[in-house]
Amino acid sequence: MSIDKQTRLKDMPIYLDCNATTPLAPEVKSYLVDFYATEVGNPGSRTHIFGQRAKQIVQNARRQISKVIECQPSEVVFTSGATESNNLALLGLMNFGRKVNKRHVISTHIEHKSILEPLKILEKNGFEISLLSASKSGYVDPDELKMQLREDTLCVSIMHVNNETGIIQPIECIATHLNGSEAIFHVDASQGFGKHIPPLKNKRIDLISISSHKIYGPTGVGALISRLRNGSRLPIEPLIHGGDQEWGLRSGSLPTALIAAFGIAAEISERDFVKRFERCKYIQELAIRNLSQIGAIFHGDHNALLPNVINFSIPGIDSEALMIILKEEIAISNGSACNSSSYTASHVLSNMGLDEDALHGSVRASWCYMTPDINWENIVGLIKQIKSE
Ligand code: PMP
């Protein structure tokens, strides 16, 4: 069934949910169309040119991604996305933790569910989990982490950028605190990879989860960057067994087209960084200026905010009412996409200590460099209307 292009082009609101997923970059889209029209071959097929070509394509993507993070290509383990990478990082370490009697894990209350749920599994299996809280600023305190660190801390897992607020966590400072500790440091960089790279280059970070569909690549592919320690692989066990692809860490035929597109998206994220940053910042400044006029409250510290997102509430207006009144103009969300089918107040904002009104009124708007100009006059007018009702 084809999608009705007319409906798509006419009457659609502006998409402001790029933290849930970004549109494909034009270069990525045309690569994929070309690829599916012309290429065939499984990178695991050793016996013919088609397999060898596919393998080269995958190796090239590995190089492109490793270059962005400054790791080795062999440290890039392809997965289906950041959810899988997070599960692999945490649950993959379970048996090692048991073996060496290290059963303590430190993370935060504001992680994505793909961290919090595996942590619950670890807990059920006898691990002790310490969760750090975020302050009103939206980030956790590295000194609190230092105090929680123990001899038997197996792993520290801290997100890079929060998906609901866009607030950057103090990853580099945490990495410094971890010097001298054996704990494995995992960073869920789903929202920051391709947008805020410097902290991810820190060699103290052992594991990094990244996802293609947050950086204008296709959905269904991501990676776990797994840095070697003293030349050896970390003691992670696979969750998916079979053909031993990806050094035995993730079996299953590699999706060559998706991986190649992810590689291109990663390379472009570096090449076009300034252009993208400036366009996003411009949209953010207009958003803040216009929403401030009608008394919006912005959640989290502006100085630690990525330029492609704001989380805000308008006092006295419920988030559902706000989304409904604005739905012809802009597509925004309350809560993260993984939970948005059933609304419950955000665990992130609640951990940051927002009051009830702000908690139930908060919405996230997230855009990208392709986002067209937003009609703020209409939006402000519509919000004023419900305020006066
Ligand atoms: N972690 C964070 C912080 C995210 O924002 C997301 C996506 N919402 C994920 C993990 C899961 O990523 P994926 O959709 O690639 O599984």
Side-chain angles (χ1 to χ4, degrees):
M1 194 173 63
S2 72
I3 300 167
D4 177 357
K5 281 203 177 128
Q6 286 313 314
T7 330
R8 230 181 31 198
L9 294 177
K10 273 198 282 147
D11 311 324
M12 292 293 260
I14 293 180
Y15 179 73
L16 295 187
D17 203 13
C18 289
N19 274 22
T21 193
T22 51
L24 287 179
E27 298 94 321
V28 172
K29 198 186 298 177
S30 59
Y31 179 88
L32 280 170
V33 170
D34 243 30
F35 184 98
Y36 284 121
T38 55
E39 293 286 342
V40 64
N42 184 328
S45 302
R46 291 176 297 106
T47 53
H48 51 70
I49 182 85
F50 296 95
Q52 286 149 20
R53 254 182 85 82
K55 188 170 179 180
Q56 271 170 13
I57 291 171
V58 168
Q59 294 298 51
N60 189 45
R62 238 186 259 290
R63 265 194 300 276
Q64 286 167 314
I65 292 166
S66 65
K67 199 167 158 273
V68 176
I69 289 194
E70 290 180 0
C71 66
Q72 297 303 315
S74 62
E75 294 172 328
V76 179
V77 177
F78 287 113
T79 63
S80 63
T83 296
E84 185 187 332
S85 303
N86 288 342
N87 274 264
L88 179 58
L90 295 175
L91 299 178
L93 283 170
M94 182 149 69
N95 278 339
F96 173 71
R98 283 178 175 142
K99 204 163 96 193
V100 297
N101 208 17
K102 288 190 173 200
R103 295 167 200 251
H104 178 233
V105 177
I106 304 176
S107 187
T108 80
H109 280 286
I110 60 168
E111 298 297 314
H112 189 262
K113 295 285 178 185
S114 57
I115 292 287
L116 294 174
E117 292 302 315
L119 287 179
K120 282 187 196 157
I121 297 177
L122 287 176
E123 198 169 27
K124 275 190 199 137
N125 280 275
F127 283 70
E128 193 186 328
I129 315 295
S130 301
L131 295 180
L132 309 175
S133 284
S135 60
K136 262 224 146 95
S137 59
Y139 43 76
V140 295
D141 177 2
D143 290 338
E144 198 192 328
L145 179 131
K146 203 175 175 183
M147 285 187 313
Q148 301 275 1
L149 206 57
R150 310 192 317 214
E151 272 293 299
D152 68 339
T153 305
L154 170 68
C155 173
V156 170
S157 179
I158 311 285
M159 73 194 329
H160 176 201
V161 176
N162 185 269
N163 46 310
E164 292 187 37
T165 59
I167 300 292
I168 302 163
Q169 303 301 311
I171 293 299
E172 279 159 311
C173 191
I174 291 171
T176 308
H177 283 341
L178 290 176
N179 281 333
S181 159
E182 291 262 291
I184 291 166
F185 187 19
H186 168 247
V187 173
D188 174 3
S190 308
Q191 295 289 347
F193 176 68
K195 296 171 197 154
H196 181 66
I197 285 297
L200 302 178
K201 295 184 179 178
N202 191 308
K203 298 285 184 279
R204 181 59 187 84
I205 307 174
D206 298 290
L207 297 164
I208 306 174
S209 298
I210 57 176
S211 182
S212 150
H213 73 112
K214 309 290 187 187
I215 58 157
Y216 317 100
T219 316
V221 65
L224 180 64
I225 309 298
S226 180
R227 286 200 173 100
L228 303 181
R229 259 198 186 183
N230 308 321
S232 302
R233 289 207 172 268
L234 289 172
I236 295 181
E237 289 184 5
L239 306 180
I240 299 175
H241 302 267
D244 268 355
Q245 285 89 345
E246 301 298 86
W247 300 276
L249 278 168
R250 206 283 186 174
S251 288
S253 294
L254 292 171
T256 312
L258 301 184
I259 288 173
F262 184 19
I264 294 167
E267 190 172 80
I268 302 176
S269 73
E270 221 181 11
R271 187 195 72 195
D272 290 357
F273 176 80
V274 174
K275 197 169 84 186
R276 289 177 176 183
F277 180 93
E278 282 171 358
R279 173 68 187 158
C280 286
K281 193 77 195 154
Y282 171 75
I283 297 174
Q284 190 177 56
E285 279 165 5
L286 281 182
I288 292 176
R289 197 179 316 149
N290 280 283
L291 291 166
S292 296
Q293 273 183 47
I294 40 171
I297 297 173
F298 301 95
H299 307 307
D301 176 0
H302 280 194
N303 297 317
L305 181 62
L306 276 194
N308 65 302
V309 55
I310 44 168
N311 192 304
F312 68 96
S313 53
I314 313 274
I317 305 181
D318 180 74
S319 63
E320 296 287 333
L322 196 56
M323 289 191 298
I324 290 171
I325 189 99
L326 297 179
K327 78 176 191 318
E328 307 290 328
E329 290 289 334
I330 49 175
I332 52 178
S333 68
N334 57 354
S336 69
C338 56
N339 298 327
S340 55
S341 57
S342 61
Y343 174 74
T344 45
S346 151
H347 69 283
V348 174
L349 300 176
S350 137
N351 185 254
M352 285 164 59
L354 263 63
D355 63 37
E356 283 295 304
D357 186 51
L359 201 55
H360 293 284
S362 72
V363 289
R364 175 186 74 187
S366 50
W367 47 85
C368 72
Y369 76 98
M370 284 181 265
T371 303
D373 287 339
I374 298 164
N375 188 336
W376 285 109
E377 209 178 305
N378 277 1
I379 291 170
V380 167
L382 287 165
I383 297 176
K384 278 185 178 161
Q385 241 176 53
I386 31 170
K387 276 186 98 168
S388 63
E389 273 166 13

